[in-house]
């Protein structure tokens, strides 16, 4: 019984009658491929996920139809048997995946640059695996989805408290896409396509911004020796701009001390001021009060690095911008009998109602990641978040000092306070990098042949820093 | 009947007790750092809770939520299939790796990405695939930007009136004018309307096949020819791929660009709204426009390929929702050729519902459907004043999640039902029975329907109030 031809009829669809062995190359693109062990392949079947495999004959009979009938609307010449391997058993799959993971190497790492290794309390992982949360869809039916809705309302509330903004959506994909959305919001609000950015913004985020908002004119403003925005240059470039964007801490890890002046200059020119933040830093660093929009990445709030995704795009802004804000928002309301409850609200901004006039196309977002962030902020709380932030700053300061003492190395290159990331410079840095890799140390992210951005968090111990210092000291040209 | 747990669970902020903590952190290294006065944060208004407080809070919230693991979840267009637990478990093996690690240390991660790219190419009939878009809408925007980049001077995107809201929203974000075409009396693309809509301004057509009514566009070849002859490109919204995966391929139908919703067809959980993953495949002539990097293999090593001459840029800070891609990959490896069985049974289940509900609810357009059906409650509404929304809410009382409602827009009082292959015959029979019972209630005890739900954590919520005086964070209460 199949959708292709007579010859399939009468055979169980879960077990293809013949497995064309010459086609068993599905995942076999490398030398150590999945199917070069065809003879020992432990096959299974997918009936465990498809209960009606055993019921289909009966159902079709009741319906007085064949499987072919159900697919007769698809033109015959379009149907084709795709060469796929037989279904695999759990044992076989586990072996395969474990073998794949082993091709990775676990190292002592000093990478950050948008994806961070922070402490994740064990109960967060446990709670996120409550399948009432993770196997639910977007809470379109609020009465049966109060758990998710309250959790997201609390996420919005926590982010508002953390950033000092009035409102926050229930997530964007990541910081980079949130930046593009912020730039488009500035355009919608002011009518200007000009968007002024610090020339030290993340190159990854810059690329996403210019890709997703190709019609905007992105203008870069230069920096002084401390890395701070050059205010004179900003005054020149801000004319007729819709928005100004700065990252705090910067991609290079230092903290700007002149952001209120930047905000003032932006506002004097009727532009909106957007600040990109590392939310962990807000444990000890004040959020910028003159900001109209605050964006950032919440991955550090309870989510593993996961090779760069899922991340969590934070998007918060002033109330005046609410109706122009992208993405879903959760609001508090009441039931008919006066109980407190939560619903998705202000949906008239969204694509399923406004279609091409929506404030954004976003539909599926990063809801579960937002819940993780809320769990993290609830767990760390008032005292814990400050402590993590100070730990990062102190550990990074300690590491910078140690590196700076090694002949040939300079750290940091910007003379300013730093949060958890900082620059390391060496005339032969590219070779230093290779040297460290040979010693099983993954150094920072190289921005050019002489410079790298290191990240040190509360997850680094004195032994880790000693290992790094020993590694760097062992480098000889 | 069903009863959802109800807790009058306070907000985190209301549970906060001064001085309480829920974390454990190591000692800092080195000397305390001094934060300049202008940067130092004084007030940090976060809650103070113990680990026990946090765990109880979220466990209770989870019990006030409904997922696929709780029960039948026939949410049309969303493909709420079961999420195999082995993919959850195995995917965590990859959680500790950083996206910027040296390529030699992340061969396992790259192998997964490469193999998934190859698999998606095979299943869709496309020539190259990017895994960067974080969800379906992100894939649409990526596709629309590719169309824009290679269709210079063409300003219009054609979208059928049955399309999902993200299609016009994505096209608009990419800078296109949206041209909507009506469906014909079969519920499919009106070829004549399409012919008169396409001009030398037409950049492309966005379509899902089967369409949002669950009807296969049998004229797909003529549709493709019409668009291609006018110089346009054909975009495939992959939300409905679960009807045809392993049976026929969008690439063979003439689609130039295809997005996949890994959180639909490939079983990754929806997370209460996200994260998802929306890879995009393109035909040979569009390969060079894809976002960078792609993952390639040189016979020995996997590596990032940044060398695409016409690339639109980047659509995510790193490589998309990697962990979601891992889960989808594991699912594909497990299922192998049974991916076809999944589609067959998904279609069987939907048509089984159609046959058994057609006499009780109106089902406009042809009887043969693919993976989903759309019923209309218009007659019931006229006769009983019970709307689709009321019937949806009433289903919750029986422990069944509601279908998608009021979509597609071309069916009035629509109930869009997608059972997926995960539902057993007993569950389908129960759904049919409950649907018939609710219809009877509409005529006999309509207030039970109009005032539903009665058995959920809260009663019917006032959405108008939520939108009229928005409370979007606890500081606004
Ligand atoms: C037909 C259709 N197209 C596009 C989308 C958008 O996909 P996503 O939510 O992954 O962004 C959906 C999702 O609901 C859909 O049903």
């Amino acid at each position: 019984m199949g959708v292709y031809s007579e010859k399939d009829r009468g055979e169980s669809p879960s077990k293809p009658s013949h497995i064309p062995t010459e086609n068993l190359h599905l995942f076999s693109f490398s030398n150590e491929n999945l199917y070069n062990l065809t003879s020992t392949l432990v096959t299974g079947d997918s009936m465990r996920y498809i209960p009606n495999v055993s019921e289909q004959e009966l159902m079709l009979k009741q319906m007085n139809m064949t499987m072919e009938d159900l697919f007769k609307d698809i033109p015959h010449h379009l149907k084709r048997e795709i060469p796929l391997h037989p279904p695999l058993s759990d044992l076989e799959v586990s072996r395969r995946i474990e073998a794949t993971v082993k091709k990775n190497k676990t190292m002592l790492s000093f990478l950050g640059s948008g994806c961070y290794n922070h402490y994740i309390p064990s109960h967060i992982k446990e709670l996120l695996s409550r399948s009432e949360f993770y196997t639910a869809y977007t809470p379109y039916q609020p009465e049966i989805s109060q758990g998710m809705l309250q959790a997201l309302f609390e996420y919005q509330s926590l982010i508002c408290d953390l950033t000092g903004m009035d409102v926050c959506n229930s997530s964007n994909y990541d910081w980079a896409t949130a930046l593009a959305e912020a730039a488009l919001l500035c355009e919608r609000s002011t009518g200007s396509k000009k968007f002024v950015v610090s020339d030290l913004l993340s190159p990854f985020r810059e690329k996403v911004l210019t890709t997703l908002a190709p019609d905007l004119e992105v203008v870069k403003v230069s920096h002084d020796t401390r890395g701070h925005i050059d205010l004179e240059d900003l005054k020149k470039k801000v004319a007729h701009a819709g928005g100004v964007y700065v990252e705090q801490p910067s991609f290079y890890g230092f903290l700007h001390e002149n952001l209120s002046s930047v905000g003032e200059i932006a506002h004097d020119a009727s532009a909106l001021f957007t600040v990109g933040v590392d939310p962990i830093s807000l444990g000890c660093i004040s959020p910028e009060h003159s900001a109209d929009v605050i964006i950032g990445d919440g991955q550090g709030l309870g989510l593993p690095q996961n090779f760069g995704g899922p991340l969590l795009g934070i998007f918060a802004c002033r109330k005046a911008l609410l109706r122009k804000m992208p993405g879903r928002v959760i609001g508090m309301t009441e039931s008919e009998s006066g109980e407190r409850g939560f619903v998705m609200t202000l949906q008239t901004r969204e694509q399923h109602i406004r279609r091409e006039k929506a404030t954004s196309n976003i539909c599926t977002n990063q809801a579960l990641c937002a819940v993780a962030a809320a769990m993290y902020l609830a767990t760390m709380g008032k005292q814990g978040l400050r402590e993590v932030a100070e730990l990062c700053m102190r550990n990074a300061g300690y590491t910078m000092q140690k590196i700076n003492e090694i002949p040939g190395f300079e750290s940091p290159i910007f003379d300013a306070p730093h949060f958890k990331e900082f620059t390391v410079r060496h005339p032969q840095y590219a070779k230093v990098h290779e040297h460290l890799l040979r010693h099983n140390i993954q150094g920072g992210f190289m921005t050019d042949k002489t410079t790298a951005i290191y990240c040190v968090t509360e997850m680094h111990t004195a032994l880790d820093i000693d290992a790094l210092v020993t590694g760097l000291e062992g480098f000889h040209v | 009947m069903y009863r959802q747990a109800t807790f009058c669970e306070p907000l985190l902020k209301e549970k906060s007790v001064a001085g309480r903590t829920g974390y454990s952190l190591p000692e800092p290294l080195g000397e305390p750092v001094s934060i300049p006065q202008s940067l130092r944060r004084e007030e940090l208004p976060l809650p103070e809770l113990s680990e026990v407080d946090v765990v109880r809070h979220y466990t209770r919230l989870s019990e006030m939520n409904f997922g696929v693991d709780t029960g039948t979840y026939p949410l049309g267009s969303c493909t709420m299939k079961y999420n195999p637990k082995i993919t959850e478990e195995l995917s965590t093996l990859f959680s500790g790796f950083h996206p910027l690690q040296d390529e030699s240390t992340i061969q396992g991660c790259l192998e997964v990405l490469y193999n998934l790219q190859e698999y998606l190419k095979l299943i869709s009939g496309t020539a190259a695939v990017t895994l960067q878009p974080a969800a379906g809408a992100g894939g649409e925007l990526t596709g629309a930007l590719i169309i824009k980049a290679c269709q210079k001077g063409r300003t219009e995107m054609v979208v059928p009136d049955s399309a999902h809201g993200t299609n016009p929203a994505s096209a608009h974000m990419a800078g296109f004018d949206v041209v909507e075409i009506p469906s014909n009396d079969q519920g499919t693309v009106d070829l004549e309307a399409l012919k008169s809509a396409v001009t030398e301004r037409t950049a492309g057509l966005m379509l899902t096949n089967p369409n949002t009514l669950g009807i296969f566009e049998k004229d797909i070849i003529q549709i493709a020819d019409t668009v291609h002859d006018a110089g346009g490109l054909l975009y495939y919204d992959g939300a409905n791929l679960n009807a045809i995966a392993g049976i026929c391929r969008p690439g063979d139908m003439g689609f130039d660009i295809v997005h996949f919703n890994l959180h639909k067809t490939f079983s990754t959980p929806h997370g209460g709204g996200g994260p998802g993953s929306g890879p995009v495949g393109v035909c040979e002539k569009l390969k060079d426009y894809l976002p960078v990097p792609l993952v390639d293999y040189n016979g020995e090593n996997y590596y990032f390929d940044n060398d695409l001459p016409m690339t639109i840029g980047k659509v995510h800070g790193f490589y998309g929702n990697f962990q979601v891609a891992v889960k989808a990959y594991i699912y594909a490896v497990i299922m192998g050729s049974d991916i076809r069985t999944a589609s067959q049974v998904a279609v069987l289940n939907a048509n089984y519902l159609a046959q058994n509900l057609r006499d009780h609810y109106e089902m406009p357009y042809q009887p043969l459907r693919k993976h989903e059906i759309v019923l209309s409650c218009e007659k019931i509404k006229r006769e009983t004043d019970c709307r689709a929304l009321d019937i949806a809410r009433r289903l919750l009382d029986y422990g069944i999640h509601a279908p998608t409602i009021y979509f597609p827009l071309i069916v009035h009082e629509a109930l869009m039902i997608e059972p997926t292959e995960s539902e057993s015959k007993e569950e389908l029979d129960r759904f049919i029975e409950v649907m018939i019972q609710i219809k009877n209630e509409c005529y006999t005890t309509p207030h039970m329907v109009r005032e539903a739900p009665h058995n959920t954590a809260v009663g019917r919520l006032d959405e108008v109030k939520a939108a009229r005086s928005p409370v979007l964070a606890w500081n606004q209460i």
Side-chain angles (χ1 to χ4, degrees), chain A residues 4 46 103 137 141 286 333, chain B residues 111 270 338 340 393 462:
Chain A
Y4 308 109
S46 60
K103 295 177 190 173
Y137 202 78
Q141 294 294 332
S286 182
T333 186
Chain B
E111 179 174 292
H270 292 71
D338 268 7
R340 176 171 66 126
R393 294 287 200 271
D462 188 347

Side-chain angles (χ1 to χ4, degrees), chain A residues 4 14 46 52 70 73 85 103-105 115 131 136-137 141 162 166 174 286 306-307 333 365 386-387, chain B residues 23 39 41-42 69 95 97-98 105 108 111 246 270 272-273 317 333 337-338 340 370 393 425 462 476:
Chain A
Y4 308 109
S14 71
S46 60
N52 280 347
L70 287 177
D73 50 354
H85 60 281
K103 295 177 190 173
N104 287 343
K105 223 166 136 185
C115 187
S131 69
Y137 202 78
Q141 294 294 332
L162 194 60
D166 303 320
D174 69 348
S286 182
N306 266 324
F307 203 52
T333 186
N365 56 19
R386 184 179 295 274
E387 221 174 285
Chain B
Y23 63 91
L39 290 175
R41 179 165 203 158
E42 301 300 342
D69 287 2
S95 66
F97 299 99
H98 191 283
T105 71
E111 179 174 292
H270 292 71
V333 171
S337 55
D338 268 7
R340 176 171 66 126
K370 294 275 79 58
R393 294 287 200 271
K425 181 169 180 298
D462 188 347
Q476 295 155 15

Side-chain angles (χ1 to χ4, degrees), chain A residues 137 363-364, chain B residues 77-78 135-137 140 164 166-167 212 237 239 261 263-264:
Chain A
Y137 202 78
C363 181
T364 291
Chain B
S77 209
C78 301
E140 292 170 23
H164 192 260
T166 50
N167 291 184
T212 57
D237 174 343
N261 299 67
H263 47 295
K264 298 183 180 179

Side-chain angles (χ1 to χ4, degrees), chain B residues 148 275 447:
Chain B
K148 182 172 163 152
H447 64 280

